[in-house]
Amino acid sequence: SQNLSRGRRHAWIVISSDLSHFLDYYTAREKDLHTTQAIESLQPDAIGFDDACGRIPVSGLLVTAKEHGLHARTVDLRNSGDTAGDKSRVVGYGAYVFN
């Protein structure tokens, strides 16, 4: 990009999305792990409609990351059952770094 050619060394892209919604704790963990594997392997087509609310921007990030030779690493993967306590209907969250 032009910014990189002008001496700028780093660019930050931040995309936020919930993962699974309103599943029980253990089903959500399994589903979110599948989504995380798709993110880490830069496979946007493996992220289904109900895997992430923001699957469109996440998919765009994965395509861009692949085009630029980036690799994804999971920083954290949790759901609201880990933080709020109620495990009957949770929302999943993941944090990933691309470099």
Side-chain angles (χ1 to χ4, degrees), residues 1-11:
S1 83
Q2 286 184 328
N3 286 339
L4 292 176
S5 66
R6 292 183 184 167
R8 188 172 179 178
R9 296 181 174 259
H10 300 286

Side-chain angles (χ1 to χ4, degrees), residues 9-94:
R9 296 181 174 259
H10 300 286
W12 293 85
I13 299 170
V14 177
I15 294 174
S16 177
S17 174
D18 297 347
L19 298 178
S20 63
H21 272 85
F22 307 129
L23 301 172
D24 68 85
Y25 180 85
Y26 297 101
T27 303
R29 283 180 50 98
E30 185 176 314
K31 184 180 238 353
D32 295 342
L33 182 58
H34 173 267
T35 303
T36 291
Q37 290 167 341
I39 290 170
E40 287 181 339
S41 61
L42 305 179
Q43 296 181 331
D45 295 337
I47 301 174
F49 179 75
D50 60 344
D51 293 332
C53 291
R55 70 182 172 85
I56 302 294
V58 169
S59 294
L61 172 61
L62 299 182
V63 168
T64 301
K66 195 171 198 174
E67 288 174 353
H68 290 276
L70 300 178
H71 303 279
R73 179 178 55 88
T74 301
V75 175
D76 199 3
L77 181 63
R78 296 177 189 253
N79 66 47
S80 57
D82 294 314
T83 59
D86 181 12
K87 293 187 172 157
S88 63
R89 290 173 43 110
V90 302
V91 176
Y93 308 97

